[in-house]
Amino acid sequence: MQFFTLKVVNSSGESFELTHNTKTYVVKNISGLTRPTTDINTSTGTGDGTYYNSSKLQQRNLVIDVLLRGNIEANRQNLYKIFPLKTACTIYFKNRNRNVKIKGYVEVLDGDIFTSQEQMQISIICPQPYFESLQTIHTELSKIMRLFEFPFCITEPIPFSEKRNLPLCSILNNGDVACGCVLTISISGEVTNLKIYNVATQQFFGLDYEFQENDQITLNTQSGQKNISLIRDGETINLLSSMQSGSSWIQLATGINNFTFTADGADFVKIIFATVELYGGV
């Protein structure tokens, strides 16, 4: 009995599960599910040993070995349709503890068709090595704390919201590594000198810009996707040139992360953090 689920969504948006239907396919092995290897860059000096310079994770290579059953030829040809070479796909993997996904490109789909138990091998290259959680965590940061939720039944008056002197939010990163996030910042009045702080490190991301009512800012701090833009009256404006000196791209360390912000017109600012946790392996 298989204690995992393996599903693929191909470049055409078609979803196909390779597990739990042993009359057609049996997944015999998947390599590349644990942590990929690391490149450690060092240099030699006059003393013993070497000096550490930098390091980075290599790309992930998922290799799936599938045993064909039933109508062998039809099932093999079906794999050709599911995994067109050179195309993008998303692999979904679920076991007892983790439910994750990763994006990749089909490198190889090959096998020996002249064997009594025909088996195909699918190789997928994942340029970004980390698995991602399926769930996106949304956390709000603002000076106005909402206190009113449906459904409700009251006999005494209750406040709908509460104004806080110090806006603060906590985000728990249960992933294996630090990760970026996507911040959606909604503006409901005139705002200037906006700064978002990590309470523990005191690192900040600041913007020198005069914001106005109905502005919406998107700040993406994820690896390989870093950008900051403003939508105003249907027009998208790049705000990279408005970053304040000393700004750092916001990262979430593993564990609890606390954030606050300051601004002239802080009452008109609402920030939503969208976080996807990253995992080195399953």
Side-chain angles (χ1 to χ4, degrees):
M1 182 178 178
Q2 292 176 324
F3 295 101
F4 66 90
T5 298
L6 179 68
K7 184 177 72 172
V8 60
V9 175
N10 65 16
S11 57
S12 301
E14 299 171 311
S15 178
F16 186 83
E17 185 180 334
L18 281 168
T19 46
H20 303 110
N21 186 3
T22 55
K23 293 181 179 179
T24 53
Y25 302 105
V26 177
V27 177
K28 300 293 290 184
N29 186 63
I30 308 173
S31 64
L33 291 175
T34 54
R35 292 185 175 183
T37 56
T38 306
D39 287 328
I40 306 293
N41 300 312
T42 60
S43 59
T44 58
T46 57
D48 295 336
T50 60
Y51 296 93
Y52 171 85
N53 292 324
S54 62
S55 60
K56 68 173 184 177
L57 255 64
Q58 294 181 3
Q59 64 185 13
R60 186 181 296 275
N61 184 195
L62 290 175
V63 179
I64 308 166
D65 294 312
V66 181
L67 179 66
L68 304 183
R69 287 184 172 173
N71 188 332
I72 302 296
E73 290 186 356
N75 291 334
R76 179 178 68 247
Q77 292 159 10
N78 191 41
L79 288 181
Y80 297 155
K81 296 178 182 178
I82 299 167
F83 296 97
L85 295 178
K86 303 187 295 182
T87 61
C89 63
T90 303
I91 300 297
Y92 294 81
F93 184 88
K94 180 180 180 181
N95 58 17
R96 290 187 179 93
N97 295 325
R98 285 187 172 166
N99 190 5
V100 296
K101 66 179 179 180
I102 192 168
K103 296 179 180 178
Y105 296 84
V106 182
E107 178 193 32
V108 174
L109 175 55
D110 198 11
D112 187 353
I113 66 174
F114 296 104
T115 58
S116 58
Q117 286 194 325
E118 187 175 332
Q119 189 165 300
M120 300 295 291
Q121 186 171 84
I122 308 156
S123 175
I124 298 171
I125 300 296
C126 305
Q128 295 297 320
Y130 292 110
F131 289 100
E132 298 180 355
S133 62
L134 296 190
Q135 181 183 11
T136 300
I137 302 168
H138 293 92
T139 309
E140 181 177 329
L141 173 61
S142 70
K143 288 195 70 174
I144 307 300
M145 183 173 64
R146 293 178 295 178
L147 302 174
F148 180 61
E149 296 181 1
F150 287 100
F152 75 105
C153 178
I154 60 173
T155 57
E156 298 291 336
I158 60 172
F160 281 8
S161 63
E162 181 178 271
K163 186 174 179 179
R164 296 180 290 188
N165 292 326
L166 177 66
L168 184 69
C169 75
S170 296
I171 304 173
L172 173 62
N173 177 9
N174 268 324
D176 294 339
V177 295
C179 65
C181 54
V182 177
L183 286 75
T184 302
I185 306 169
S186 300
I187 306 296
S188 58
E190 293 184 357
V191 174
T192 58
N193 194 29
L194 174 61
K195 286 186 179 181
I196 304 168
Y197 290 90
N198 183 310
V199 174
T201 66
Q202 284 301 295
Q203 290 181 323
F204 72 90
F205 188 97
L207 289 168
D208 284 323
Y209 202 86
E210 294 182 1
F211 297 106
Q212 61 189 37
E213 188 175 0
N214 296 323
D215 280 354
Q216 182 161 295
I217 306 115
T218 300
L219 169 60
N220 190 337
T221 71
Q222 296 173 317
S223 176
Q225 304 177 53
K226 293 183 173 68
N227 67 76
I228 171 76
S229 62
L230 162 69
I231 296 179
R232 175 180 289 177
D233 298 328
E235 179 185 359
T236 300
I237 303 169
N238 191 323
L239 292 184
L240 281 174
S241 62
S242 299
M243 287 175 55
Q244 292 183 4
S245 175
S247 291
S248 299
W249 294 96
I250 294 169
Q251 295 290 297
L252 304 178
T254 55
I256 295 289
N257 296 262
N258 294 311
F259 291 95
T260 187
F261 76 91
T262 60
D264 297 327
D267 289 355
F268 303 123
V269 177
K270 183 176 76 171
I271 304 171
I272 301 294
F273 290 77
T275 310
V276 175
E277 294 170 341
L278 302 179
Y279 305 98
V282 299

